[in-house]
Amino acid sequence: MPKIPAVSPATGECPPPNFVHTVDGNFVDSHGRTILFRGVNFSGSTKAPEGEASHLLDGFWESAEAGGNSFVDRPLNLDDGSADVHLARLRGWGFNILRYALTWEGLEHGGPGVYDDDFMNYTIRVLRKCKEYGFKVYIDPHQDTWSRYCGGSGAPYWTLAACGMNPLNFTATQSAILHNEYPLAHQPDPASIPAMTWSTNYGRLAIQTVFTLFFAGRDFAPNCTLDGCNIQDYLQSHYIEAFGRLADKIRDAGDLLDECVIGWDSLNEPSEGFVGYPDLNSLPAKQGSTLKRGPTPTPAQSLRLGMGQAQTVENWAFNAFGPKRAGLVTIDPKGQTIWLDPSTERDGVHPRYGWRRGPDWQLGVDIWAQHGVWDIETGYVMRPDYFRYLPAVEFADPQDEVTEVEFVADYWAPHWQAWARRIRKAHPEAIHFVAPPVFAQPPPLPTEDLAGRCAYSTHFYDGLTLVTRHWNWFNADAVGLLRGKYRTKFQALRIGERAIRRSLQAQLAMLKEDAPILGAYPTMIGEIGIPFDMDGRKAYGWTDGGRYKGNFSSQQRALDASLNATDGPNSLSYTIWTYCPDNIHPWGDLWNMEDLSLWSVDDLRLRGESSMYQGNGDKSSALLLAAHRAARSSSTVRLGASGGFPQGYPSQLSLATMPLAANDEQGGMPDTSPFSCWDSAFDFLTDGARAVKAFSRPYPIATVGIPTDIQFDIAKAEFRLVVRVRAEDAPVTNSAATTRPVTPSSHSTIDDPKGERPATEIFLPIVHFAADRTVGSLLDRSRYKRDPSTPDIDIDEEPVCSRSSETLRGVSNSPYPPRTLQNAVAVAVFVSAGRWELDGNGTTLRWWYPIPRPGEPDHEYSIIIARRGGRIITEEECRHQSFWERLCGRASDCCIM
């Protein structure tokens, strides 16, 4: 049987040559090759309009109540030349896919049904630019704890008013933690907010209420209606239609669907709110995605706080061993309530948004009290299990067994179906990246909605590293704990880096095993990554007298461990979180002190100086670049005793990322090519990057057969791939006839004419395999300028080697690499069978090998690729090596008998 269908299962049409199939648990191209997608989330910068970083309070509420600002220029400025630099950098790192983050607020911030056409048109322009660079894209409707106005990102301000809430009192009632009002709205100190505090909002009243209304309002809040429509239907219909309008725009553009935009994620990291809560008087026994950190009220206490009643609640600390109770703390809202004053809607009609609230919905009063859950006067919770069962079965015969609510199947799945049908109306061939709540298994979904065009989308982070901001010597099997694999937490403990790396790989294997619930579809790890502000931001030079400035070795180990987990037998596609063009050291990704961007303007090298990295001084390239174009914050915040930053440091940057000469005091942009500031591709790709050797890694882009083992050793700059090839894996040779079944007459052998048969293609990153002349002045010691004939590699069978070639064209027609950048690699290649060649750019290796004929057993082939002369060590890396590392490096040519 052919591996790829003759016609699209979604439309019945013949697919075009650039079509991406989802069959046999893999992404597959039109030649029948297994595709791996490796990319990045683009971008965390899209969570807010330009100039509105999450720590800024001035004008925040005034702008919200006026309808908000446009998200145009997020994530890229298309007019200053920086877009080409950013996209060329991402392409040069080896990424071939982008998870393109968009928020509901960006589309419909002006009010219900008021769409920002300028932003949609801008988005079309950015997508065309992504297409120009050869990227595939899938759209991410992004949210974190619902909205910027309750401490996260995603939904417009008006949705909270629609739910009868007053966000200005969220901080006083601890109904949500907002970065720009932390810890107190009248005395904010946003730089002091502990890491990941924003995620505690998933366990707070405002977010739990709004998600309950969004997913299950008809069942649990039947009295809440707007314009005769239940709040669930009101919110969901607006959310789905806003993105549906964008999908229509992309369709009407005529040159993006399937060529560039291949699919759509579902709502990012959805929350169940209160749905399924067994007891409102208690904190959940299973922590799930709700982090306990700081003051942590129970749901019942949250209800009382929301009505302005003081409560004494548990206070939680978080250390390397997880959350731990740290006493009690009293929260006193002093009568302030999160529920809108009735005077804001005269006669039940909102003066700005125009909706008419139903007569049974009383403003100023907790909606759950209005539904009989608790009594406001006494504070007593009369129905602590209100959200545990469907109201429809509440008064069933006592002899009948009452079924508990199952959030994913009962509420998330129907929402996903409505979403998928609207998107497929505009994008018939869309791949639906199905993303249930974090770590939750997907439910079986109707075949007609999946339509054979589906991928399971899940997220994975090393949670201990993410929260503690430290690469620890121990860790835990978090997925196994949540799935009930262990009786005690101690059984999930993993000690030592080797055990941790095995555990991370096993956890991802467990998540991959969820995909068959949907069908024979591939898995995409939609988010994976690590924080770069680890260990008190010592890599920024803010501690120990600047001793560790530019040293991202801990970050490299942590990120390599996570990305290594996607390799091995897992062979997973992923998009790393995140790439922010405006990341800066003091405020990270400019959102809730998150600092996960793979690149930062503050890590650009100063030109004309020997230092690999500049600091936060007035002459930093960040300040020079921003001098004539960036909005500057008028506030100054001290980031603790470890260091500070100068007055006027830009709080939000809109900049071209070309570093200037160090003596350019005025910050004027040179009248030269955008890439003329860099001497080589290696120089360009490492400038501003953090832990680049961990994420710019070799991988099989397209494989004839199935990759069964992928191994990459950073310390040796050595890549190993094992491929299993079946007779049915014979690639289709004519892309114009990819819909024809593969027959014996189309069988390819190793003797086929050169270049006629599609090959396995492997990406070779410049940052690992660059030749000495490409690395140039950044290289450390002269011994690496040698070019030994073979590296020290052992293989199980006699290798067959081929001469490299520079006559083949690149893997794509994208503008990368720029012609002005020197680009050469130094590799030694060993294959168990077949022949190989390098493309003209040296970054893609093509490998041909024999395909079993029908009836023959499967074949297994291996390839080893290493850098001639050993791994690249730059001067910067050498400065941060320990004495023993330097000694071993100099003695590497010696043999001790």
Side-chain angles (χ1 to χ4, degrees):
M1 292 180 64
K3 187 174 182 179
I4 53 177
V7 297
S8 165
T11 64
E13 302 291 331
C14 292
N18 55 18
F19 205 66
V20 176
H21 301 267
T22 54
V23 295
D24 285 354
N26 293 293
F27 296 104
V28 178
D29 71 5
S30 58
H31 295 299
R33 297 179 298 179
T34 301
I35 298 296
L36 270 190
F37 285 122
R38 297 288 170 88
V40 70
N41 280 262
F42 195 68
S43 159
S45 299
T46 61
K47 293 184 178 184
E50 187 174 9
E52 298 188 30
S54 67
H55 66 278
L56 298 178
L57 185 57
D58 290 348
F60 179 71
W61 295 115
E62 293 81 358
S63 172
E65 292 176 344
N69 294 317
S70 177
F71 282 62
V72 169
D73 287 339
R74 311 298 281 160
L76 289 175
N77 187 322
L78 294 175
D79 301 319
D80 67 357
S82 61
D84 290 287
V85 178
H86 290 302
L87 292 173
R89 182 181 291 120
L90 292 171
R91 190 68 183 175
W93 286 339
F95 296 143
N96 58 4
I97 194 168
L98 303 174
R99 183 176 183 243
Y100 194 94
L102 292 161
T103 64
W104 181 8
E105 182 187 2
L107 302 174
E108 200 178 3
H109 56 84
V114 181
Y115 303 107
D116 191 334
D117 287 328
D118 289 341
F119 176 65
M120 292 189 189
N121 292 332
Y122 159 81
T123 300
I124 299 299
R125 293 177 61 205
V126 176
L127 290 173
R128 283 195 174 125
K129 179 65 73 171
C130 294
K131 176 186 174 184
E132 182 182 338
Y133 278 82
F135 288 106
K136 298 296 186 184
V137 170
Y138 68 109
I139 305 296
D140 161 35
H142 202 85
Q143 76 79 37
D144 307 275
T145 68
W146 188 257
S147 172
R148 285 198 296 146
Y149 307 102
C150 46
S153 68
Y157 177 80
W158 60 261
T159 61
L160 296 169
C163 294
M165 295 183 185
N166 177 12
L168 275 69
N169 289 339
F170 284 169
T171 297
T173 58
Q174 291 267 310
S175 297
I177 303 296
L178 281 77
H179 186 199
N180 54 12
E181 291 189 341
Y182 183 87
L184 300 171
H186 62 284
Q187 286 184 320
D189 181 16
S192 68
I193 193 169
M196 296 298 293
T197 294
W198 67 267
S199 69
T200 68
N201 284 332
Y202 281 113
R204 299 182 187 277
L205 177 62
I207 291 81
Q208 288 180 314
T209 293
V210 74
F211 270 111
T212 304
L213 297 178
F214 181 81
F215 282 112
R218 285 198 303 267
D219 285 335
F220 295 106
N223 296 342
C224 295
T225 60
L226 293 177
D227 295 336
C229 180
N230 184 268
I231 187 65
Q232 172 185 340
D233 301 308
Y234 190 87
L235 293 173
Q236 283 201 30
S237 63
H238 278 284
Y239 163 76
I240 291 172
E241 185 57 23
F243 281 94
R245 295 291 182 99
L246 175 65
D248 292 342
K249 286 265 191 182
I250 297 174
R251 174 199 62 203
D252 295 342
D255 60 346
L256 291 172
L257 292 188
D258 306 320
E259 295 181 55
C260 175
V261 179
I262 62 172
W264 298 71
D265 219 336
S266 53
L267 180 66
N268 180 72
E269 298 185 355
S271 170
E272 63 272 20
F274 285 128
V275 177
Y277 236 95
D279 184 0
L280 296 177
N281 290 310
S282 305
L283 292 171
K286 293 184 178 180
Q287 184 172 320
S289 62
T290 302
L291 175 68
K292 296 187 184 78
R293 188 162 199 169
T296 307
T298 66
Q301 290 172 325
S302 290
L303 294 172
R304 301 177 196 122
L305 286 166
M307 283 302 298
Q309 301 173 9
Q311 297 288 296
T312 298
V313 307
E314 291 182 353
N315 192 37
W316 286 75
F318 196 99
N319 56 32
F321 296 95
K324 180 180 179 180
R325 285 188 59 180
L328 301 174
V329 63
T330 298
I331 304 169
D332 186 0
K334 299 186 184 304
Q336 297 183 75
T337 172
I338 71 166
W339 304 105
L340 276 176
D341 190 287
S343 65
T344 59
E345 295 182 6
R346 294 185 179 180
D347 301 322
V349 178
H350 195 281
R352 177 179 180 86
Y353 304 123
W355 57 60
R356 180 177 292 275
R357 204 171 296 272
D360 295 328
W361 190 347
Q362 181 183 355
L363 286 183
V365 179
D366 180 282
I367 62 170
W368 306 121
Q370 294 182 56
H371 286 86
V373 177
W374 70 293
D375 179 70
I376 293 175
E377 184 175 353
T378 64
Y380 179 70
V381 179
M382 297 171 289
R383 304 172 70 182
D385 61 353
Y386 177 76
F387 299 100
R388 186 174 183 177
Y389 306 102
L390 288 173
V393 300
E394 178 184 1
F395 301 109
D397 189 316
Q399 300 300 319
D400 296 338
E401 183 178 347
V402 179
T403 304
E404 295 187 0
V405 166
E406 172 51 55
F407 171 75
V408 173
D410 294 336
Y411 296 105
W412 177 86
H415 160 72
W416 180 87
Q417 288 179 260
W419 158 263
R421 290 167 185 173
R422 176 61 180 92
I423 294 301
R424 200 170 294 284
K425 180 180 177 182
H427 188 175
E429 299 284 15
I431 297 173
H432 276 289
F433 291 80
V434 178
V438 177
F439 292 155
Q441 292 181 309
L445 294 169
T447 302
E448 59 270 22
D449 290 321
L450 298 175
R453 306 282 295 146
C454 171
Y456 172 50
S457 180
T458 186
H459 297 176
F460 180 82
Y461 290 95
D462 171 4
L464 187 62
T465 300
L466 188 65
V467 178
T468 64
R469 298 296 199 261
H470 178 71
W471 176 239
N472 295 276
W473 55 270
F474 63 92
N475 212 305
D477 178 0
V479 177
L481 275 172
L482 291 171
R483 298 284 177 89
K485 184 178 178 181
Y486 307 103
R487 290 184 178 180
T488 68
K489 293 181 180 180
F490 290 104
Q491 291 176 301
L493 185 65
R494 301 292 182 268
I495 298 176
E497 187 160 330
R498 182 175 298 180
I500 293 171
R501 291 166 72 94
R502 285 198 302 264
S503 174
L504 295 176
Q505 196 165 89
Q507 291 178 68
L508 282 170
M510 194 180 305
L511 294 176
K512 182 180 179 180
E513 290 170 359
D514 291 341
I517 296 174
L518 298 171
Y521 295 117
T523 298
M524 170 68 78
I525 306 300
E527 291 184 20
I528 188 170
I530 58 102
F532 287 92
D533 56 342
M534 292 166 60
D535 302 317
R537 299 180 175 91
K538 71 177 185 180
Y540 303 159
W542 294 0
T543 67
D544 305 280
R547 175 185 176 187
Y548 297 101
K549 183 178 179 181
N551 183 358
F552 288 96
S553 57
S554 292
Q555 289 88 336
Q556 179 171 294
R557 290 169 64 193
L559 186 56
D560 177 57
S562 286
L563 298 185
N564 173 76
T566 69
D567 287 339
N570 287 332
S571 301
L572 288 166
S573 295
Y574 59 73
T575 46
I576 301 170
W577 185 272
T578 176
Y579 182 94
C580 295
D582 47 8
N583 176 284
I584 55 177
H585 286 171
W587 298 107
D589 302 338
L590 304 180
W591 183 83
N592 280 317
M593 300 305 289
E594 293 285 273
D595 196 357
L596 281 79
S597 178
L598 302 178
W599 180 91
S600 176
V601 68
D602 276 351
D603 289 310
L604 287 169
R605 291 187 280 269
L606 277 177
R607 298 295 147 176
E609 296 189 7
S610 60
S611 175
M612 286 276 288
Y613 294 89
Q614 86 288 337
N616 290 318
D618 291 336
K619 291 186 179 181
S620 74
S621 54
L623 290 177
L624 291 172
L625 287 167
H628 67 294
R629 64 180 65 187
R632 294 179 178 273
S633 170
S634 61
S635 61
T636 301
V637 179
R638 179 77 175 175
L639 294 182
S642 60
F645 54 94
Q647 286 276 358
Y649 202 103
S651 61
Q652 186 86 345
L653 303 179
S654 174
L655 48 89
T657 57
M658 292 74 79
L660 306 178
N663 60 0
D664 187 347
E665 299 291 344
Q666 302 302 317
M669 297 303 294
D671 186 20
T672 57
S673 162
F675 299 97
S676 63
C677 300
W678 292 283
D679 297 328
S680 66
F682 185 91
D683 183 14
F684 170 61
L685 295 174
T686 56
D687 196 13
R690 291 106 72 90
V692 64
K693 289 186 177 181
F695 64 78
S696 184
R697 50 201 297 128
Y699 70 97
I701 305 167
T703 305
V704 178
I706 304 293
T708 59
D709 191 31
I710 302 172
Q711 300 290 339
F712 178 55
D713 189 331
I714 287 181
K716 296 180 180 179
E718 178 182 301
F719 173 75
R720 295 172 180 250
L721 170 67
V722 178
V723 178
R724 178 171 59 87
V725 189
R726 307 163 296 182
E728 59 266 33
D729 293 325
V732 177
T733 58
N734 184 354
S735 61
T738 57
T739 58
R740 294 201 302 265
V742 176
T743 63
S745 63
S746 66
H747 174 78
S748 299
T749 71
I750 201 65
D751 298 320
D752 282 347
K754 179 180 178 180
E756 288 297 311
R757 178 165 60 85
T760 288
E761 297 180 359
I762 300 171
F763 170 69
L764 302 181
I766 289 293
V767 301
H768 288 288
F769 297 106
D772 289 348
R773 61 187 175 90
T774 297
V775 182
S777 62
L778 300 177
L779 195 66
D780 176 33
R781 294 182 295 275
S782 60
R783 75 181 184 86
Y784 288 102
K785 299 186 183 300
R786 300 183 319 169
D787 188 22
S789 58
T790 57
D792 184 15
I793 297 177
D794 295 322
I795 57 176
D796 295 333
E797 51 187 318
E798 188 67 19
V800 180
C801 299
S802 280
R803 178 177 55 85
S804 65
S805 170
E806 296 186 357
T807 61
L808 299 180
R809 63 180 178 85
V811 69
S812 74
N813 295 320
S814 73
Y816 187 83
R819 294 183 180 180
T820 58
L821 298 185
Q822 183 183 7
N823 188 32
V825 297
V827 296
V829 182
F830 298 81
V831 295
S832 61
R835 60 181 177 85
W836 59 270
E837 289 182 331
L838 292 177
D839 72 347
N841 298 322
T843 57
T844 303
L845 181 145
R846 293 184 176 88
W847 177 27
W848 292 267
Y849 37 76
I851 309 298
R853 295 182 179 276
E856 292 183 350
D858 298 348
H859 290 184
E860 189 171 90
Y861 302 117
S862 60
I863 186 170
I864 301 173
I865 306 170
R867 183 179 186 272
R868 293 186 183 274
R871 71 181 178 97
I872 298 168
I873 300 181
T874 64
E875 291 181 2
E876 175 68 14
E877 290 175 306
C878 186
R879 283 200 296 272
H880 295 303
Q881 285 183 328
S882 68
F883 169 79
W884 293 108
E885 287 173 323
R886 291 194 297 271
L887 180 64
C888 292
R890 293 189 178 99
S892 61
D893 292 329
C894 300
C895 180
I896 299 176
M897 301 297 293

